[in-house]
Amino acid sequence: MMGTVALTGLAGMSVGQSTLRPLPIIPMIDLIKGFDGRITLELAPSTHDFGTGVASPTFGINNSYLGPVLQVKQGQTLPFNVFNGIEEISTLHWHGLHIPGNVDGGPHQEIQPGATWSPDVPIAQRASMNWFHSHAHGKTAQQVYKGLAGVMLIEDDASLSADLPKTYGVDDFTLVFQNKTFGESGSLNYTLTETALDDGFIGETLVVNGVIAPVVQSVPKGLIRLRILNASNANFINLSMATGPLHVIASDGGFLASTVETDTLTMSPGERYEVLVDMRTVEINKLVVSHELPEIAGIRDYISEFNKRGLRSLIGKLLNEGEVEIAALTLNRQDERGFDASIPANLASLSPPDPTTAISTRSFELNQYTGADLGVLATAGDNYCGNGSAMAINGKSMAMDRIDENVRKGDTEIWRISVDDWRHPFHIHGCSFRILSQEGKLPPTYAQGWKDMVHVDGDQWSEVLVRFDYDAPKEAPYMYHCHILEHEDCGMMGQFTVT
Ligand code: C2O
Ligand code: CU
Ligand code: CU
């Protein structure tokens, strides 16, 4: 168990469904091998069974839920045709990519229903795990929740020749964690309330690659690589292994300097980490995930609420009234021999960030409380976050026609982010940065490599060292925002140019 206090009497109580489902392997498209003509990604309405036996209305990208895993290589230019088959405006943003603003897929690159957006996306950066998702202003939270998200794995010469597992679906697994809420009928539920706008939509049920956890996967006797994305709307998740530490090899923007051993790893929405698990020394190991629960009055109410639903929705072990823990992924070792190399010590050459290279500091205060009536906004518009004016950054809510910052291409800067309350994951488009301080201290060692997400909490600011190398003109600016998607939609977002 993680370091939380369980309530007497109900401590460690296990509730919910404990069916072990097979880990779904998300269909992978290997674009490194080449492609003919343009690469089609089709956003479409669908239905999907998350494991409850009920088909929920969803959105998918070439699939019934979520998109494919795209494997690509540094140096390629990817000609996409993104077709919008849903009956509302959408966009497709490449989160983590170092690409010019006009192909970034942010809120200005709207794709009308029935239209196709055809960006040529140049892959200039190092090996890293990235993702793509809807970024339609005011609609991002609901569209991503319904399934408009996918993974892009960038490789480079070094990563392809590295002594690491890389056989997709055999010893190299992509895990997309999301927190969802299911209704009594077993169908996917998304209802905005005052609390859901305030905290973000905290889902009570952990989903892995589109099915309700826990999941199980057979693996060979060898080293196993897990590439993990937290694509939740709002939940932070904490990871640990049932046996032994996590061996973290990469963060958002690529390999760490060396493998970092840690007992727990905290991932905000939007973050990616890669870890290795050594299945030569154990027959079974489990990836344990704990996550927040939505606000319900207390633990007894939780139990009765979930009893009412036939214990279908809440799974795992209640740690206390606000948190639940689940052995999300069981790895079962088979007899066949797998990838047999030692866990690498050194991974990439990465010197510590040097703040003296910064020529200026910009400050951003995230404003969760602007006096707006979240209760009224929550019910105003079809589960969309409405006019996007309830939250702000530096006192200003996101406005499509206002540029907030102008950055000079190639300049190194410090961005200092603070909040008026609570904890927020801050994201910047068009770059990878290094974290100088997070919540007033040095970040955990595993967060000291390339990142595009930083946690901001309480009275202490967080600082990142950042440089932008591509153009983002005023017609196609980059965004910075809180990655709690309801906060982003509520206006906790700003725009900047790079010229
Ligand atoms: Cu993951 Cu602006 O987005
Ligand atoms: Cu992004
Ligand atoms: Cu936020």
Side-chain angles (χ1 to χ4, degrees):
M1 293 233 296
M2 325 205 105
T4 45
V5 188
L7 296 187
T8 343
L10 296 164
M13 175 161 189
S14 245
V15 291
Q17 199 165 37
S18 55
T19 318
L20 263 186
R21 302 180 170 87
L23 171 71
I25 305 298
I26 300 175
M28 186 266 283
I29 304 180
D30 187 351
L31 297 170
I32 302 175
K33 292 213 179 90
F35 43 85
D36 285 327
R38 301 195 74 84
I39 305 149
T40 301
L41 293 178
E42 184 174 349
L43 320 186
S46 188
T47 59
H48 181 77
D49 180 2
F50 288 86
T52 59
V54 173
S56 294
T58 49
F59 292 147
I61 305 175
N62 299 10
N63 298 322
S64 64
Y65 178 75
L66 299 178
V69 170
L70 303 176
Q71 284 206 323
V72 310
K73 194 177 168 198
Q74 182 183 43
Q76 287 186 304
T77 294
L78 306 169
F80 286 107
N81 272 348
V82 182
F83 173 73
N84 180 4
I86 66 171
E87 282 170 5
E88 48 192 82
I89 285 170
S90 195
T91 84
L92 203 63
H93 164 59
W94 315 101
H95 178 135
L97 264 58
H98 307 182
I99 48 177
N102 63 353
V103 291
D104 186 54
H108 290 272
Q109 281 115 42
E110 286 185 344
I111 318 172
Q112 298 296 324
T116 298
W117 178 54
S118 302
D120 290 328
V121 178
I123 305 297
Q125 73 211 74
R126 66 189 77 78
S128 49
M129 179 180 190
N130 301 280
W131 64 305
F132 45 96
H133 61 78
S134 156
H135 216 305
H137 188 40
K139 296 184 157 58
T140 299
Q142 191 180 155
Q143 290 188 357
V144 171
Y145 189 84
K146 288 183 84 175
L148 295 188
V151 168
M152 178 189 278
L153 304 175
I154 299 178
E155 302 291 347
D156 58 20
D157 286 329
S159 74
L160 288 173
S161 61
D163 222 1
L164 289 169
K166 41 179 102 73
T167 310
Y168 187 80
V170 174
D171 55 20
D172 181 356
F173 298 94
T174 292
L175 304 177
V176 179
F177 282 114
Q178 293 173 299
N179 289 87
K180 302 289 177 191
T181 291
F182 294 92
E184 289 179 41
S185 66
S187 67
L188 190 62
N189 179 316
Y190 184 80
T191 309
L192 287 184
T193 57
E194 179 172 2
T195 309
L197 286 185
D198 195 7
D199 298 349
F201 188 90
I202 304 286
E204 60 205 22
T205 302
L206 186 70
V207 165
V208 192
N209 294 357
V211 303
I212 293 175
V215 294
V216 60
Q217 173 66 42
S218 296
V219 294
K221 186 173 181 178
L223 222 49
I224 306 299
R225 181 177 191 173
L226 306 177
R227 312 199 201 207
I228 306 170
L229 161 67
N230 179 0
S232 295
N233 279 37
N235 292 71
F236 282 67
I237 58 177
N238 297 302
L239 311 181
S240 59
M241 296 305 301
T243 306
L246 290 154
H247 303 276
V248 189
I249 58 168
S251 57
D252 303 337
F255 288 115
L256 301 175
S258 49
T259 302
V260 172
E261 278 190 16
T262 180
D263 289 333
T264 65
L265 175 63
T266 301
M267 293 181 73
S268 75
E271 284 191 293
R272 292 89 66 207
Y273 282 102
E274 290 187 35
V275 303
L276 296 177
V277 181
D278 192 343
M279 292 301 291
R280 288 167 299 200
T281 52
V282 285
E283 280 177 20
I284 289 187
N285 209 341
K286 295 180 183 190
L287 179 63
V288 179
V289 176
S290 71
H291 63 83
E292 306 145 280
L293 290 169
E295 267 183 42
I296 298 182
I299 196 159
R300 283 167 201 286
D301 294 341
Y302 260 113
I303 302 290
S304 69
E305 170 70 18
F306 294 113
N307 273 332
K308 265 193 282 177
R309 301 190 205 168
L311 299 180
R312 180 187 273 125
S313 202
L314 185 66
I315 44 168
K317 215 184 239 183
L318 280 168
L319 297 183
N320 58 33
E321 67 188 69
E323 206 179 350
V324 69
E325 177 188 274
I326 173 171
L329 167 66
T330 298
L331 298 174
N332 266 339
R333 187 175 90 191
Q334 307 297 297
D335 289 335
E336 93 246 33
R337 294 184 71 84
F339 190 84
D340 201 9
S342 48
I343 291 177
N346 299 318
L347 297 159
S349 77
L350 196 58
S351 43
D354 178 4
T356 65
T357 58
I359 59 152
S360 59
T361 298
R362 283 175 211 266
S363 298
F364 302 88
E365 194 203 18
L366 311 184
N367 316 118
Q368 186 170 358
Y369 297 109
T370 62
D373 187 336
L374 297 178
V376 168
L377 281 173
T379 50
D382 215 12
N383 286 323
Y384 290 120
C385 299
N387 57 7
S389 63
M391 296 182 191
I393 296 180
N394 289 342
K396 291 175 289 183
S397 293
M398 162 73 184
M400 292 286 283
D401 57 1
R402 186 193 66 235
I403 299 294
D404 299 287
E405 304 286 333
N406 297 287
V407 176
R408 233 176 31 207
K409 187 159 74 176
D411 281 357
T412 298
E413 302 188 351
I414 290 172
W415 284 27
R416 174 182 295 166
I417 312 105
S418 59
V419 297
D420 59 357
D421 196 28
W422 217 51
R423 176 165 69 165
H424 304 259
F426 188 77
H427 169 56
I428 311 174
H429 286 208
C431 67
S432 298
F433 53 67
R434 303 290 294 278
I435 301 177
L436 299 174
S437 72
Q438 178 166 279
E439 300 163 2
K441 12 179 224 306
L442 214 58
T445 320
Y446 60 73
Q448 291 179 14
W450 291 110
K451 297 280 299 158
D452 52 58
M453 301 286 323
V454 61
H455 306 176
V456 193
D457 193 1
D459 331 317
Q460 302 284 350
W461 64 56
S462 296
E463 282 187 337
V464 303
L465 189 69
V466 64
R467 193 187 70 214
F468 301 93
D469 294 328
Y470 299 91
D471 288 305
K474 62 180 188 315
E475 315 74 49
Y478 289 137
M479 305 291 133
Y480 52 83
H481 57 91
C482 175
H483 221 288
I484 291 177
L485 299 180
E486 288 74 16
H487 291 181
E488 172 187 334
D489 279 346
C490 275
M492 199 183 278
M493 177 155 73
Q495 319 195 81
F496 66 106
T497 61
V498 176
T499 50

